[in-house]
Amino acid sequence: MGALFPVLEAADDRVVLRVGAEALTAKALRARCVAHAHLLAANGAAPGSHVGVWTQPSIDTCVALIANAATGFVTVPIDPKLGARELGHIANDAKPVVTIAADVDAVKEKLAGVPVLRAVQSGAEDSVSWRQTDSAPLLVLYTSGTTGLPKGALLSASAVAFDLDGLAAAWAWTREDTIVHALPLFHVHGLVLGLFGALRRGGALHWFPKFEPVALASALGARRSVFFAVPTMYHRLSEAAASDQTIVEGLRAARLLVSGSAALPQRDQARIEQLTGKRVIERYGLTETLINTAVRAGSPFPPGSVGQPVDGVEVKLVDDARAPVAAGAMGEIAVRGPNVFLGYLNRPDATAAVLDADGWFFTGDLGTTDADGHVRIVGRRATDLIKCGGYKVGAGEVEAALLEHPLVREAAVVGRPDPDLGERIVAFVVTSAPVESKTLEDHVAALASPHKRPREVHFVAELPRNAMGKVVKSRLP
Ligand code: MCA
Ligand code: AMP
């Protein structure tokens, strides 16, 4: 064990966090962490309490997320765009003692019943006990299943530290690196890898609240940088780079280009390589397991590889009965190691369905491995899980939201291949009266979340059903 973020104990004058024109040194960040801990203590939270962080894009949000983790509170990050139904669910399920927000008034209205505190703006010279890499919960991250409301995955401080240290070994990631990213701060990719990863290494993070290709590329050229992005971002960068040399130069200057959260299409990989001479490296993970495999920096890798297991993580491929498949055969990817989550909050049934008594977590992803241990993802067991722009969306949650619209009688939702988003959410609906597609898209955005809205709505007279009356999605047009 040791401190989760050793850089906060040393606290020197190096800039560790940059958002827009604002920057914080380790010393200034440490002072704000101390003030944050005192603020929470004065408002009824104790170490181990669930504390919500409203992740609206600002440097104060980054500070609140770091301070919460560093000083012993369990963070429940909340997507500020969540619709009413999902927000209510998280508040009821995680029961945060208090929620931190940069803009208190806007949040108070939405989070009835949960006290909301303004994020600390300045620091304090005082002492605090720093969070160690123990096995108690550090984060509750909400993630979608095929049906029902999202489940809260409980991740320990030791899992986060283990995984980040494994990735540091894989990528020769040191305090000299600046992570550059424009990912949201309420998922593993942007929060654990991008924010906590930079801090744990003691390097820096340059975070962009919005995905802006030219600004990001310029930041990549400015220092020894490592870029984290989802495939949709690489797709858009490769398109923009075709007519903008700044982007080509930025991508070329980065020490490492890393992609994850969904499969990186080979054509985008090829286009980036052709433009910059660099290959993007992939890593593969889930909210529940953090990152399981990663391509090693500077090592050759076959096309489509998501890398070899992170040091200390075991990977096996299994059949439908969870027995190992023959060497070279395709199977469901199962993983075991200190990176695996503690379980879903309040959902022992759902935990038992994915985590066995020997500690193996069954991912639902289908893959193959080669003789060198390189993993390739070839599909997913559940067709009702959609990865849109790197966000996981359950078809069932979109269907449930659509069915809450008074004019929708039946709904079926599928993911269809999309060159930009990976998969786009497509809805088939039977309505009792004419209604605009846009109305239904906005309805889902308001109830669940904008990234869960259907990008395409088809109005049909009836849904194809089998003899039992069950919708047969494979027969949808
Ligand atoms: C659009 N908007 C709306 C509506 N339509 N707002 C309200 N009502 C509507 N009907 C808003 C959106 O919120 C957004 O706002 C803006 O309009 C544009 O929306 P959209 O078109 O959906 O966004 P996009 O441009 O397509 O976004 C592409 C993206 C995004 C930037 C690539 O998908 C993204 O950030 N993806 C990252 C997902 C991620 O981090 N996944 C990691 C999961 P505004 O512009 O203000 O936002 S962790 C994981 O998977 C594992 C562990 C792993 O391996 O990493
Ligand atoms: P989430 O639950 O949002 O954390 O998403 C986890 C899922 O993202 C995994 O189960 C995979 O299906 C997918 N995923 C993550 N990284 C990759 C990758 N490099 N290639 C293909 N799929 C990925």
Side-chain angles (χ1 to χ4, degrees):
M1 273 209 300
L4 181 59
F5 301 127
V7 69
L8 293 175
E9 286 180 297
D12 59 19
D13 286 322
R14 279 161 50 109
V15 169
V16 289
L17 185 60
R18 194 180 290 279
V19 180
E22 295 175 278
L24 279 177
T25 62
K27 197 172 174 183
L29 181 58
R30 175 199 161 100
R32 282 179 64 172
C33 288
V34 173
H36 174 97
H38 290 314
L39 173 75
L40 286 186
N43 283 275
S49 295
H50 287 187
V51 173
V53 177
W54 193 263
T55 60
Q56 71 197 75
S58 80
I59 197 165
D60 293 342
T61 299
C62 296
V63 172
L65 289 163
I66 293 165
N68 229 22
T71 61
F73 301 95
V74 181
T75 301
V76 186
I78 304 174
D79 171 2
K81 292 222 162 107
L82 274 192
R85 178 225 281 257
E86 285 203 10
L87 194 54
H89 165 62
I90 291 179
N92 271 330
D93 192 48
K95 300 196 172 21
V97 179
V98 56
T99 288
I100 304 291
D103 180 358
V104 174
D105 292 337
V107 178
K108 265 190 180 151
E109 267 175 40
K110 296 188 174 183
L111 263 181
V114 180
V116 183
L117 294 177
R118 184 171 157 77
V120 291
Q121 308 288 306
S122 57
E125 291 297 327
D126 204 344
S127 63
V128 72
S129 42
W130 299 106
R131 178 71 196 259
Q132 303 293 297
T133 56
D134 55 63
S135 58
L138 177 75
L139 293 167
V140 186
L141 298 184
Y142 279 82
T143 182
S144 293
T146 51
T147 56
L149 287 160
K151 303 183 284 285
L154 279 168
L155 290 156
S156 66
S158 55
V160 166
F162 164 86
D163 207 54
L164 291 173
D165 295 351
L167 290 174
W171 298 337
W173 180 4
T174 72
R175 75 194 291 261
E176 300 309 318
D177 286 304
T178 293
I179 301 298
V180 176
H181 80 79
L183 294 154
L185 297 173
F186 48 86
H187 279 312
V188 163
H189 200 165
L191 173 63
V192 177
L193 271 59
L195 182 65
F196 292 176
L199 246 274
R200 181 154 175 86
R201 292 281 69 78
L205 169 66
H206 191 167
W207 184 64
F208 287 78
K210 245 186 164 16
F211 174 68
E212 293 161 351
V214 175
L216 275 165
S218 305
L220 290 173
R223 47 187 75 81
R224 182 179 138 119
S225 55
V226 174
F227 183 48
F228 290 164
V230 294
T232 300
M233 294 175 176
Y234 281 107
H235 174 77
R236 294 182 187 178
L237 280 164
S238 72
E239 297 235 295
S243 58
D244 192 330
Q245 196 57 23
T246 327
I247 296 175
V248 176
E249 276 156 24
L251 292 174
R252 201 179 275 152
R255 184 176 78 78
L256 272 187
L257 303 174
V258 186
S259 174
S261 304
L264 178 69
Q266 285 304 307
R267 67 177 175 279
D268 293 326
Q269 172 73 282
R271 193 146 58 155
I272 289 172
E273 190 175 1
Q274 192 202 352
L275 286 165
T276 65
K278 278 193 125 86
R279 284 174 88 191
V280 178
I281 63 172
E282 285 193 78
R283 88 297 176 288
Y284 155 70
L286 288 90
T287 300
E288 293 89 335
T289 64
L290 304 171
I291 305 306
N292 301 306
T293 67
V295 167
R296 272 34 180 191
S299 296
F301 60 96
S305 168
V306 294
Q308 295 148 310
V310 168
D311 292 348
V313 176
E314 295 173 84
V315 172
K316 68 177 179 182
L317 300 182
V318 298
D319 62 19
D320 288 349
R322 293 189 171 173
V325 299
M330 185 195 80
E332 179 180 356
I333 300 169
V335 301
R336 180 164 73 173
N339 53 314
V340 173
F341 77 155
L342 298 166
Y344 296 113
L345 183 65
N346 306 324
R347 294 293 306 274
D349 54 328
T351 305
V354 290
L355 192 61
D356 76 8
D358 296 325
W360 286 99
F361 177 89
F362 296 86
T363 64
D365 291 309
L366 302 173
T368 57
T369 51
D370 68 12
D372 295 327
H374 276 281
V375 175
R376 282 192 57 184
I377 312 285
V378 296
R380 194 183 298 132
R381 278 177 68 112
T383 50
D384 272 350
L385 275 181
I386 303 166
K387 265 269 158 159
C388 179
Y391 286 113
K392 185 189 265 184
V393 180
E397 56 184 335
V398 184
E399 287 159 2
L402 284 166
L403 287 169
E404 280 193 37
H405 190 278
L407 296 179
V408 175
R409 282 183 18 220
E410 296 175 44
V413 168
V414 292
R416 291 274 158 92
D418 185 280
D420 177 47
L421 296 167
E423 289 180 293
R424 68 178 177 284
I425 301 167
V426 178
F428 293 84
V429 292
V430 179
T431 60
S432 54
V435 50
E436 296 279 328
S437 303
K438 175 84 170 62
T439 306
L440 295 184
E441 288 167 23
D442 291 347
H443 168 78
V444 176
L447 209 55
S449 148
H451 66 257
K452 295 183 179 173
R453 74 192 189 276
R455 306 288 173 131
E456 224 178 278
V457 180
H458 296 281
F459 297 91
V460 292
E462 57 180 1
L463 295 176
R465 292 182 184 272
N466 63 15
M468 310 292 289
K470 191 172 178 296
V471 175
V472 185
K473 291 192 177 177
S474 59
R475 288 195 357 234
L476 286 166

